[in-house]
Amino acid sequence: MERRLAIVGAGISGLIFCKYALEKGFNPIVFEAEEGIGGVWSNNIIQSTKLQNSRHTFEFTDFQWPSSVKEDYPSHTQVLEYVEAYAQHYGLLPYIKFNSKVVDLDYVGESFEEMESWDLWGGTGKPFDSKGKWQFVVQDTKSNSTEVFQVEFVILCLGKFGGFPNIPKFPPNQGPEVFNGKVMHSMDYSKMGNVKGTEFIRGKRITIVGSQKTALDIAAECANANGVEYPCTVICRTAHWILPSSNLLGINFGFLFFSRLAGLTLHKPGETFLLSLLAFLLSPLRWAVTKFTETYIRWKLPLKKYCMIPNQSFLRDICSCAITLMTENFYGKVEEGSIIIKRSPSVGFCKEGLVIEGEAHPVKSDIVILATGYRGDKKITEIFKSPILQKQILGSPTSIVPLYRQIIHPRIPQLAVIGYGEGFSNLSSSEIRCQWLVQFLSGKFQLPSIRDMEKDVKMWDKSLKLYAPRYFRRSCVSILNTWYNDQLCKEMGCNPRRKKGILANLFVPYGPKDYAGLTH
């Protein structure tokens, strides 16, 4: 049987998997809707945006950052150049069809009734032994012409940050349509480019709805362009913890939250009774580290002065993948008056601008930018033609996205998803998942039964809801990352203890180099 692979998306995940697939003798084809590679990094052109991880934790296992990059937190331009150099080095570009958007994906050759009767994934538990194929329509984004393809296996590397903006709900008769100014999502602002974007906001009263990294970055750009003459207003609906730096009193942030020792303080899916007991006994340590971190942040940043102290704990935010690094000199611009912060759980539009709770007068605005995130769920569902597959891929809205190992849907054959689940470093998370998947496709191991995979998904659902009850749909493994990687290593037949020495394994956070060579 043929073993044709289609990869949807030439972002970081798509490039990594393409590279590993080529090493294992596959002949993949990558469909990319844009003109270039890089995913969110090719569209993210907000001038102040930098990498949120240090470059030492955001690195390909077998391709180092160039020596010319000295910054711990490279700019978005440097990140894109690094990703492009990776693709050039491994000769990936010839396998990519640019300006090719997959608009219709359907599984043919097996009935849904037959699929429901399976005990093993795909009927056999193997990636290529089913009768079915994936048929999909690809649209040329320049000519609008379409072409139909069939392959035996599809890997969706769509990510969740882009494509479908999340537009919040507004009170009745207070939507954007009543506003006399312009309303746009941060995605559209980012696509303008630095020069055009700066001219667009110059001399305008800008209001930004949002409180995470994109909102802060855009606010900083507005402050640089307009100063105190036209201060930028940031309306924060939900405050989140933001790190002033990656070091807390000289202690690297990773040692406190991403070491094996830190993982022992948390309950983990599938853990033994002894590990569960140990997590209970170490819970005071977890509480102390969390409070220490919160105290340090409140000392370094004027959160109380500007009513920006989050209601939730730092632990809850980090388990929700909601932690970011502070935009450079953000609160300095607040102090000088070029940025104004307002806290309001809800907002609505009027002719002059935005209405917020507790204020008699609206925030007068010329432009409102909604930095309110993306609908990753729509991005992953709307690619499927079948309503049954659309419903299956996301599962119940009250549970996590039901992917075994954050990769395989137990009920959807010959398909994998890379890059939907989040972690501390999304590049590293994607790479180990790609290594696991290519080993499975090469026959190195087989999947458990459908029932056992669904049982495992439910265990992770329970665990993630325990620490991230509001944001469980983000499938954020975060500080359970080492435990999660251990499961992948075991299934690949690799030793999960990747460091030399007991102390290093216990106290030193794992990084990209620890997971190099898992496919060899």
Side-chain angles (χ1 to χ4, degrees):
M1 183 178 184
E2 291 189 80
R3 303 194 305 170
R4 294 170 295 183
L5 303 179
I7 302 169
V8 184
I12 287 176
S13 298
L15 294 173
I16 294 174
F17 187 78
C18 181
K19 177 253 184 186
Y20 281 110
L22 289 170
E23 287 182 349
K24 290 296 183 181
F26 293 100
N27 187 27
I29 181 171
V30 184
F31 296 95
E32 171 54 50
E34 303 293 335
E35 292 187 7
I37 63 174
V40 294
W41 292 105
S42 64
N43 293 319
N44 186 355
I45 41 66
I46 299 174
Q47 192 170 4
S48 56
T49 297
K50 293 185 177 182
L51 188 63
Q52 289 295 286
N53 304 89
S54 76
R55 58 184 169 85
H56 303 293
T57 60
F58 191 92
E59 184 176 62
F60 298 105
T61 60
D62 49 8
F63 191 75
Q64 294 183 344
W65 282 86
S67 58
S68 59
V69 178
K70 306 295 184 184
E71 298 86 352
D72 283 338
Y73 299 95
S75 68
H76 69 273
T77 303
Q78 291 171 311
V79 174
L80 182 57
E81 289 174 350
Y82 174 55
V83 173
E84 290 173 338
Y86 175 85
Q88 290 279 2
H89 179 77
Y90 286 107
L92 306 182
L93 296 181
Y95 298 90
I96 304 173
K97 288 179 68 70
F98 293 105
N99 302 304
S100 299
K101 183 179 181 180
V102 178
V103 295
D104 198 9
L105 182 64
D106 201 21
Y107 188 68
V108 297
E110 303 264 20
S111 68
F112 287 110
E113 292 77 13
E114 187 174 358
M115 290 162 63
E116 282 294 319
S117 69
W118 289 341
D119 294 321
L120 296 175
W121 186 74
T124 64
K126 297 179 181 179
F128 296 106
D129 286 358
S130 300
K131 293 183 296 183
K133 289 182 174 63
W134 284 100
Q135 180 171 290
F136 51 99
V137 178
V138 178
Q139 181 185 56
D140 187 303
T141 57
K142 289 189 173 181
S143 67
N144 289 326
S145 62
T146 60
E147 189 175 359
V148 178
F149 292 83
Q150 274 196 353
V151 297
E152 282 68 42
F153 205 98
V154 171
I155 303 95
L156 297 181
C157 300
L158 299 173
K160 62 172 66 173
F161 301 111
F164 290 89
N166 177 47
I167 306 299
K169 294 182 180 179
F170 299 99
N173 303 316
Q174 292 187 21
E177 67 278 0
V178 305
F179 178 47
N180 286 336
K182 183 173 181 59
V183 182
M184 65 192 313
H185 192 268
S186 57
M187 177 182 73
D188 299 312
Y189 171 76
S190 299
K191 289 180 178 179
M192 287 184 176
N194 292 332
V195 175
K196 187 177 179 181
T198 300
E199 289 304 311
F200 178 73
I201 61 178
R202 193 183 303 280
K204 305 289 198 315
R205 296 171 298 178
I206 311 294
T207 299
I208 300 169
V209 179
S211 59
Q212 293 201 283
K213 192 64 171 66
T214 300
L216 305 189
D217 284 347
I218 297 175
E221 288 201 358
C222 293
N224 290 335
N226 295 326
V228 297
E229 184 178 2
Y230 295 98
C232 175
T233 302
V234 177
I235 299 179
C236 170
R237 296 177 300 162
T238 303
H240 292 280
W241 293 98
I242 298 181
L243 287 169
S245 69
S246 61
N247 288 305
L248 287 69
L249 291 178
I251 305 173
N252 186 278
F253 172 67
F255 283 83
L256 297 177
F257 290 95
F258 297 108
S259 65
R260 283 193 182 276
L261 177 61
L264 291 175
T265 68
L266 298 167
H267 292 288
K268 298 166 285 295
E271 66 186 357
T272 63
F273 171 77
L274 289 178
L275 284 177
S276 178
L277 177 61
L278 185 59
F280 173 76
L281 295 174
L282 291 178
S283 59
L285 175 61
R286 180 180 70 233
W287 179 88
V289 170
T290 300
K291 290 302 175 185
F292 162 73
T293 305
E294 293 175 2
T295 302
Y296 175 81
I297 295 173
R298 293 176 63 172
W299 171 59
K300 292 290 289 184
L301 301 175
L303 302 184
K304 184 176 181 180
K305 180 177 179 179
Y306 296 104
C307 301
M308 289 294 285
I309 297 176
N311 296 325
Q312 68 282 358
S313 69
F314 182 86
L315 179 69
R316 181 159 292 184
D317 262 1
I318 195 172
C319 289
S320 305
C321 286
I323 298 294
T324 59
L325 282 175
M326 176 57 67
T327 299
E328 187 175 353
N329 197 34
F330 177 83
Y331 276 106
K333 298 180 188 300
V334 176
E335 294 281 355
E336 74 178 16
S338 57
I339 295 176
I340 297 171
I341 299 177
K342 293 182 179 291
R343 185 93 177 260
S344 177
S346 64
V347 295
F349 284 90
C350 64
K351 288 184 178 180
E352 298 85 1
L354 285 171
V355 179
I356 63 176
E357 287 189 13
E359 295 200 8
H361 302 287
V363 179
K364 293 184 178 180
S365 313
D366 298 311
I367 300 170
V368 174
I369 301 176
L370 303 174
T372 48
Y374 296 90
R375 290 289 307 276
D377 54 344
K378 288 191 69 174
K379 193 173 185 180
I380 200 171
T381 54
E382 293 201 2
I383 197 172
F384 290 101
K385 180 179 180 180
S386 164
I388 295 176
L389 293 176
Q390 289 179 350
K391 184 177 180 180
Q392 281 184 329
I393 191 67
L394 287 182
S396 166
T398 60
S399 67
I400 65 171
V401 177
L403 298 176
Y404 177 72
R405 299 292 183 246
Q406 309 283 342
I407 303 169
I408 296 288
H409 192 292
R411 297 283 175 180
I412 303 179
Q414 296 162 252
L415 179 129
V417 179
I418 302 286
Y420 190 88
E422 298 180 61
F424 170 61
S425 170
N426 286 333
L427 186 154
S428 296
S429 297
S430 289
E431 181 147 17
I432 192 169
R433 289 168 185 166
C434 288
Q435 292 181 89
W436 180 92
L437 180 59
V438 81
Q439 292 284 61
F440 167 61
L441 296 182
S442 301
K444 181 72 180 291
F445 62 89
Q446 291 190 12
L447 296 176
S449 68
I450 291 175
R451 181 178 178 181
D452 286 342
M453 285 195 287
E454 290 178 334
K455 181 180 177 182
D456 187 84
V457 169
K458 288 179 180 178
M459 285 195 302
W460 277 92
D461 178 71
K462 182 179 179 181
S463 180
L464 296 185
K465 284 179 179 176
L466 178 64
Y467 297 111
R470 181 177 175 184
Y471 296 100
F472 60 86
R473 291 287 278 184
R474 298 183 70 164
S475 301
C476 171
V477 296
S478 187
I479 52 180
L480 295 177
N481 203 72
T482 304
W483 177 261
Y484 167 79
N485 287 348
D486 286 353
Q487 316 309 310
L488 299 185
C489 286
K490 290 175 183 176
E491 289 180 336
M492 286 187 279
C494 302
N495 183 3
R497 301 298 190 269
R498 311 296 300 169
K499 293 183 179 293
K500 294 181 180 180
I502 296 176
L503 294 180
N505 268 296
L506 187 61
F507 292 103
V508 180
Y510 275 53
K513 289 183 173 57
D514 295 310
Y515 296 106
L518 297 181
T519 60
H520 295 161

PDB file of all heavy atoms in Angstrom, residues 14-33:
ATOM      1  N   GLY A  14       4.847  22.093  10.910  1.00  0.00           N
ATOM      2  CA  GLY A  14       4.854  21.467   9.596  1.00  0.00           C
ATOM      3  C   GLY A  14       6.252  21.247   9.057  1.00  0.00           C
ATOM      4  O   GLY A  14       6.546  20.205   8.455  1.00  0.00           O
ATOM      5  N   LEU A  15       7.137  22.209   9.281  1.00  0.00           N
ATOM      6  CA  LEU A  15       8.524  22.079   8.820  1.00  0.00           C
ATOM      7  C   LEU A  15       9.254  20.966   9.561  1.00  0.00           C
ATOM      8  O   LEU A  15       9.987  20.171   8.956  1.00  0.00           O
ATOM      9  CB  LEU A  15       9.256  23.406   9.003  1.00  0.00           C
ATOM     10  CG  LEU A  15       8.757  24.582   8.145  1.00  0.00           C
ATOM     11  CD1 LEU A  15       9.469  25.863   8.552  1.00  0.00           C
ATOM     12  CD2 LEU A  15       8.951  24.304   6.662  1.00  0.00           C
ATOM     13  N   ILE A  16       9.062  20.918  10.877  1.00  0.00           N
ATOM     14  CA  ILE A  16       9.745  19.887  11.663  1.00  0.00           C
ATOM     15  C   ILE A  16       9.302  18.500  11.214  1.00  0.00           C
ATOM     16  O   ILE A  16      10.123  17.604  10.991  1.00  0.00           O
ATOM     17  CB  ILE A  16       9.474  20.070  13.165  1.00  0.00           C
ATOM     18  CG1 ILE A  16      10.091  21.375  13.680  1.00  0.00           C
ATOM     19  CG2 ILE A  16      10.046  18.894  13.965  1.00  0.00           C
ATOM     20  CD1 ILE A  16       9.733  21.685  15.118  1.00  0.00           C
ATOM     21  N   PHE A  17       7.981  18.325  11.059  1.00  0.00           N
ATOM     22  CA  PHE A  17       7.531  16.989  10.680  1.00  0.00           C
ATOM     23  C   PHE A  17       7.996  16.633   9.279  1.00  0.00           C
ATOM     24  O   PHE A  17       8.349  15.477   9.016  1.00  0.00           O
ATOM     25  CB  PHE A  17       6.005  16.855  10.773  1.00  0.00           C
ATOM     26  CG  PHE A  17       5.583  15.436  10.541  1.00  0.00           C
ATOM     27  CD1 PHE A  17       5.714  14.488  11.532  1.00  0.00           C
ATOM     28  CD2 PHE A  17       5.129  15.027   9.297  1.00  0.00           C
ATOM     29  CE1 PHE A  17       5.390  13.161  11.305  1.00  0.00           C
ATOM     30  CE2 PHE A  17       4.792  13.712   9.056  1.00  0.00           C
ATOM     31  CZ  PHE A  17       4.925  12.779  10.069  1.00  0.00           C
ATOM     32  N   CYS A  18       7.998  17.596   8.374  1.00  0.00           N
ATOM     33  CA  CYS A  18       8.492  17.339   7.013  1.00  0.00           C
ATOM     34  C   CYS A  18       9.929  16.830   7.059  1.00  0.00           C
ATOM     35  O   CYS A  18      10.289  15.866   6.369  1.00  0.00           O
ATOM     36  CB  CYS A  18       8.395  18.612   6.182  1.00  0.00           C
ATOM     37  SG  CYS A  18       8.938  18.425   4.468  1.00  0.00           S
ATOM     38  N   LYS A  19      10.736  17.441   7.898  1.00  0.00           N
ATOM     39  CA  LYS A  19      12.142  17.048   8.007  1.00  0.00           C
ATOM     40  C   LYS A  19      12.274  15.611   8.517  1.00  0.00           C
ATOM     41  O   LYS A  19      13.022  14.802   7.972  1.00  0.00           O
ATOM     42  CB  LYS A  19      12.858  18.030   8.932  1.00  0.00           C
ATOM     43  CG  LYS A  19      14.315  17.704   9.205  1.00  0.00           C
ATOM     44  CD  LYS A  19      14.479  17.181  10.612  1.00  0.00           C
ATOM     45  CE  LYS A  19      15.927  16.935  10.945  1.00  0.00           C
ATOM     46  NZ  LYS A  19      16.116  16.300  12.256  1.00  0.00           N
ATOM     47  N   TYR A  20      11.521  15.262   9.571  1.00  0.00           N
ATOM     48  CA  TYR A  20      11.601  13.905  10.114  1.00  0.00           C
ATOM     49  C   TYR A  20      11.014  12.879   9.161  1.00  0.00           C
ATOM     50  O   TYR A  20      11.508  11.745   9.055  1.00  0.00           O
ATOM     51  CB  TYR A  20      10.901  13.843  11.474  1.00  0.00           C
ATOM     52  CG  TYR A  20      11.739  14.382  12.596  1.00  0.00           C
ATOM     53  CD1 TYR A  20      11.413  15.575  13.223  1.00  0.00           C
ATOM     54  CD2 TYR A  20      12.887  13.715  13.023  1.00  0.00           C
ATOM     55  CE1 TYR A  20      12.192  16.088  14.252  1.00  0.00           C
ATOM     56  CE2 TYR A  20      13.668  14.212  14.049  1.00  0.00           C
ATOM     57  CZ  TYR A  20      13.320  15.403  14.659  1.00  0.00           C
ATOM     58  OH  TYR A  20      14.098  15.907  15.673  1.00  0.00           O
ATOM     59  N   ALA A  21       9.952  13.260   8.439  1.00  0.00           N
ATOM     60  CA  ALA A  21       9.352  12.332   7.474  1.00  0.00           C
ATOM     61  C   ALA A  21      10.336  12.002   6.347  1.00  0.00           C
ATOM     62  O   ALA A  21      10.455  10.842   5.924  1.00  0.00           O
ATOM     63  CB  ALA A  21       8.069  12.936   6.902  1.00  0.00           C
ATOM     64  N   LEU A  22      11.062  13.008   5.882  1.00  0.00           N
ATOM     65  CA  LEU A  22      12.063  12.779   4.830  1.00  0.00           C
ATOM     66  C   LEU A  22      13.166  11.851   5.334  1.00  0.00           C
ATOM     67  O   LEU A  22      13.641  10.972   4.599  1.00  0.00           O
ATOM     68  CB  LEU A  22      12.652  14.106   4.377  1.00  0.00           C
ATOM     69  CG  LEU A  22      11.717  15.016   3.557  1.00  0.00           C
ATOM     70  CD1 LEU A  22      12.329  16.406   3.384  1.00  0.00           C
ATOM     71  CD2 LEU A  22      11.430  14.385   2.193  1.00  0.00           C
ATOM     72  N   GLU A  23      13.579  12.024   6.583  1.00  0.00           N
ATOM     73  CA  GLU A  23      14.625  11.170   7.140  1.00  0.00           C
ATOM     74  C   GLU A  23      14.202   9.706   7.198  1.00  0.00           C
ATOM     75  O   GLU A  23      15.040   8.806   7.095  1.00  0.00           O
ATOM     76  CB  GLU A  23      14.988  11.644   8.551  1.00  0.00           C
ATOM     77  CG  GLU A  23      15.790  12.927   8.587  1.00  0.00           C
ATOM     78  CD  GLU A  23      16.176  13.340   9.997  1.00  0.00           C
ATOM     79  OE1 GLU A  23      15.643  12.740  10.971  1.00  0.00           O
ATOM     80  OE2 GLU A  23      16.990  14.265  10.137  1.00  0.00           O
ATOM     81  N   LYS A  24      12.895   9.469   7.353  1.00  0.00           N
ATOM     82  CA  LYS A  24      12.389   8.096   7.447  1.00  0.00           C
ATOM     83  C   LYS A  24      11.961   7.531   6.095  1.00  0.00           C
ATOM     84  O   LYS A  24      11.353   6.461   6.041  1.00  0.00           O
ATOM     85  CB  LYS A  24      11.217   8.046   8.434  1.00  0.00           C
ATOM     86  CG  LYS A  24      11.627   8.259   9.883  1.00  0.00           C
ATOM     87  CD  LYS A  24      12.536   7.148  10.389  1.00  0.00           C
ATOM     88  CE  LYS A  24      12.891   7.328  11.847  1.00  0.00           C
ATOM     89  NZ  LYS A  24      13.800   6.256  12.341  1.00  0.00           N
ATOM     90  N   GLY A  25      12.254   8.248   5.030  1.00  0.00           N
ATOM     91  CA  GLY A  25      11.981   7.704   3.705  1.00  0.00           C
ATOM     92  C   GLY A  25      10.620   8.020   3.135  1.00  0.00           C
ATOM     93  O   GLY A  25      10.265   7.489   2.059  1.00  0.00           O
ATOM     94  N   PHE A  26       9.835   8.855   3.796  1.00  0.00           N
ATOM     95  CA  PHE A  26       8.542   9.252   3.250  1.00  0.00           C
ATOM     96  C   PHE A  26       8.749  10.359   2.209  1.00  0.00           C
ATOM     97  O   PHE A  26       9.809  10.997   2.157  1.00  0.00           O
ATOM     98  CB  PHE A  26       7.616   9.753   4.366  1.00  0.00           C
ATOM     99  CG  PHE A  26       7.214   8.686   5.340  1.00  0.00           C
ATOM    100  CD1 PHE A  26       7.846   8.570   6.571  1.00  0.00           C
ATOM    101  CD2 PHE A  26       6.200   7.791   5.039  1.00  0.00           C
ATOM    102  CE1 PHE A  26       7.487   7.596   7.478  1.00  0.00           C
ATOM    103  CE2 PHE A  26       5.826   6.806   5.938  1.00  0.00           C
ATOM    104  CZ  PHE A  26       6.474   6.695   7.162  1.00  0.00           C
ATOM    105  N   ASN A  27       7.715  10.590   1.418  1.00  0.00           N
ATOM    106  CA  ASN A  27       7.768  11.644   0.409  1.00  0.00           C
ATOM    107  C   ASN A  27       6.606  12.606   0.666  1.00  0.00           C
ATOM    108  O   ASN A  27       5.578  12.557  -0.016  1.00  0.00           O
ATOM    109  CB  ASN A  27       7.680  11.057  -1.000  1.00  0.00           C
ATOM    110  CG  ASN A  27       7.904  12.119  -2.060  1.00  0.00           C
ATOM    111  OD1 ASN A  27       8.580  13.124  -1.835  1.00  0.00           O
ATOM    112  ND2 ASN A  27       7.318  11.911  -3.228  1.00  0.00           N
ATOM    113  N   PRO A  28       6.736  13.485   1.646  1.00  0.00           N
ATOM    114  CA  PRO A  28       5.603  14.336   2.039  1.00  0.00           C
ATOM    115  C   PRO A  28       5.392  15.497   1.081  1.00  0.00           C
ATOM    116  O   PRO A  28       6.302  15.921   0.365  1.00  0.00           O
ATOM    117  CB  PRO A  28       6.036  14.853   3.410  1.00  0.00           C
ATOM    118  CG  PRO A  28       7.533  14.918   3.327  1.00  0.00           C
ATOM    119  CD  PRO A  28       7.929  13.736   2.466  1.00  0.00           C
ATOM    120  N   ILE A  29       4.159  15.996   1.080  1.00  0.00           N
ATOM    121  CA  ILE A  29       3.856  17.228   0.371  1.00  0.00           C
ATOM    122  C   ILE A  29       3.212  18.172   1.380  1.00  0.00           C
ATOM    123  O   ILE A  29       2.330  17.778   2.141  1.00  0.00           O
ATOM    124  CB  ILE A  29       2.932  16.974  -0.843  1.00  0.00           C
ATOM    125  CG1 ILE A  29       2.661  18.287  -1.584  1.00  0.00           C
ATOM    126  CG2 ILE A  29       1.653  16.279  -0.448  1.00  0.00           C
ATOM    127  CD1 ILE A  29       1.949  18.095  -2.910  1.00  0.00           C
ATOM    128  N   VAL A  30       3.694  19.410   1.408  1.00  0.00           N
ATOM    129  CA  VAL A  30       3.240  20.395   2.390  1.00  0.00           C
ATOM    130  C   VAL A  30       2.407  21.446   1.676  1.00  0.00           C
ATOM    131  O   VAL A  30       2.852  22.041   0.686  1.00  0.00           O
ATOM    132  CB  VAL A  30       4.437  21.067   3.106  1.00  0.00           C
ATOM    133  CG1 VAL A  30       3.936  22.013   4.194  1.00  0.00           C
ATOM    134  CG2 VAL A  30       5.380  20.026   3.675  1.00  0.00           C
ATOM    135  N   PHE A  31       1.200  21.693   2.189  1.00  0.00           N
ATOM    136  CA  PHE A  31       0.324  22.710   1.609  1.00  0.00           C
ATOM    137  C   PHE A  31       0.312  23.932   2.533  1.00  0.00           C
ATOM    138  O   PHE A  31      -0.056  23.837   3.700  1.00  0.00           O
ATOM    139  CB  PHE A  31      -1.099  22.166   1.435  1.00  0.00           C
ATOM    140  CG  PHE A  31      -1.174  21.030   0.456  1.00  0.00           C
ATOM    141  CD1 PHE A  31      -1.124  19.718   0.898  1.00  0.00           C
ATOM    142  CD2 PHE A  31      -1.283  21.272  -0.901  1.00  0.00           C
ATOM    143  CE1 PHE A  31      -1.184  18.660   0.005  1.00  0.00           C
ATOM    144  CE2 PHE A  31      -1.343  20.226  -1.811  1.00  0.00           C
ATOM    145  CZ  PHE A  31      -1.294  18.912  -1.355  1.00  0.00           C
ATOM    146  N   GLU A  32       0.728  25.068   1.983  1.00  0.00           N
ATOM    147  CA  GLU A  32       0.805  26.301   2.756  1.00  0.00           C
ATOM    148  C   GLU A  32      -0.011  27.393   2.061  1.00  0.00           C
ATOM    149  O   GLU A  32       0.210  27.686   0.886  1.00  0.00           O
ATOM    150  CB  GLU A  32       2.269  26.744   2.918  1.00  0.00           C
ATOM    151  CG  GLU A  32       2.470  28.114   3.508  1.00  0.00           C
ATOM    152  CD  GLU A  32       1.748  28.310   4.840  1.00  0.00           C
ATOM    153  OE1 GLU A  32       1.905  27.452   5.740  1.00  0.00           O
ATOM    154  OE2 GLU A  32       1.031  29.315   4.962  1.00  0.00           O
ATOM    155  N   ALA A  33      -0.948  27.983   2.801  1.00  0.00           N
ATOM    156  CA  ALA A  33      -1.841  28.979   2.210  1.00  0.00           C
ATOM    157  C   ALA A  33      -1.137  30.299   1.910  1.00  0.00           C
ATOM    158  O   ALA A  33      -1.568  31.047   1.032  1.00  0.00           O
ATOM    159  CB  ALA A  33      -3.036  29.226   3.139  1.00  0.00           C
TER     160      ALA A  33
END
